[in-house]
Amino acid sequence: MKALLLICHGSRTKAGTEKALEFAKRCMGASDYPIKEVCFLELSAPDISKGIEACVRQGAASICAIPVLLLTAAHAKKDIPEEIRLQQERYPNVEISYGKPFGVHDSLSHLLWERITESVDTFHKNAVILLVGRGSSDPDVKRDLNAIAANLQKNYEVPRVETCFLTAAQPSFEEMLRLSGWGYQQIIVVPYLLFPGILLSGMKKAIAQQQKQSDQNFILCEALGYHPVLQDVLLTRIEEAETKSAVV
């Protein structure tokens, strides 16, 4: 039998874990795999070894493992593949294919535009959109977030779009908040995060602090959350992984 294993990042909070599980299960509902399991890279249980074990225990002869991560960085390129290779040695008769994160996909710009227009009634002529990623030392993260920002600007007549990061990459979110010297009157902050949580709470505090020192209009949009667009992209990544016969 064929199995689908969705690998979420994991969260320090119970609410974060529950949101990830809900998201994964709703996405899995659109697939026809007879065996479907969810596991986590870190911070939450079950881990990847337990996820694969659960698939094998139910009779899986092949497993399609998909990282439920927004961008491609060390987790997707190194940490998860290494763990899967260990499990492949443990179950040599089970074929494991490994897919890609959401990454760069043109339809993601439509989801971003929806989140923006939910929060913004009128765009000021001197407006800027800040697309804020989690961040990583991996240069692919910066490249991909810039590509996603470019797709947003290409598909919609939006003001200037800038990218920044919450950690481990430049420019930082705090630096980009201090844009008063650039002449922007409206700063639309779009968190490129799957779910609200600790990181989004930190963004809210930083914006509130900057608002005290400025007469600019700061608008914070919602996190991406579960959305049919994300489900469709995930199903595309599953279809791509089905053509692979080995871990990449």
Side-chain angles (χ1 to χ4, degrees), residues 168-222:
Q170 296 297 324
S172 71
F173 174 56
E174 288 78 8
E175 175 187 350
M176 294 300 286
L177 278 182
R178 297 189 289 270
L179 292 175
S180 57
W182 294 21
Y184 294 119
Q185 296 299 313
Q186 185 185 49
I187 300 177
I188 303 160
V189 180
V190 185
Y192 201 67
L193 304 170
L194 273 176
F195 312 112
I198 295 173
L199 292 177
L200 192 59
S201 296
M203 291 174 66
K204 290 178 180 178
K205 291 179 182 178
I207 290 171
Q209 183 65 32
Q210 185 64 25
Q211 186 72 78
K212 294 177 182 177
Q213 307 170 28
S214 171
D215 60 357
Q216 296 164 292
N217 177 25
F218 290 88
I219 300 171
L220 178 61
C221 302
E222 296 294 329

Side-chain angles (χ1 to χ4, degrees), residues 125 127-130 153 158-162 176 182 184 188:
K125 65 178 181 179
V128 62
I129 293 173
L130 292 186
Q153 199 149 24
V158 298
R160 181 168 180 152
V161 182
E162 300 283 350
M176 294 300 286
W182 294 21
Y184 294 119
I188 303 160

Side-chain angles (χ1 to χ4, degrees), residues 92-114:
N93 296 322
V94 177
E95 182 182 281
I96 304 177
S97 59
Y98 178 56
K100 299 189 299 184
F102 292 102
V104 180
H105 195 288
D106 193 58
S107 64
L108 292 171
S109 64
H110 308 316
L111 171 52
L112 290 174
W113 181 244
E114 184 174 320

Side-chain angles (χ1 to χ4, degrees), residues 7-25 38-45 68 134 193-201 223 225-226:
I7 305 172
C8 302
H9 181 276
S11 172
R12 291 183 176 85
T13 68
K14 181 179 179 181
T17 300
E18 290 175 347
K19 286 182 181 297
L21 280 170
E22 179 186 2
F23 174 85
K25 289 178 179 178
V38 183
C39 64
F40 297 90
L41 170 63
E42 59 185 8
L43 303 173
S44 303
V68 185
R134 179 187 292 267
L193 304 170
L194 273 176
F195 312 112
I198 295 173
L199 292 177
L200 192 59
S201 296
Y226 173 82

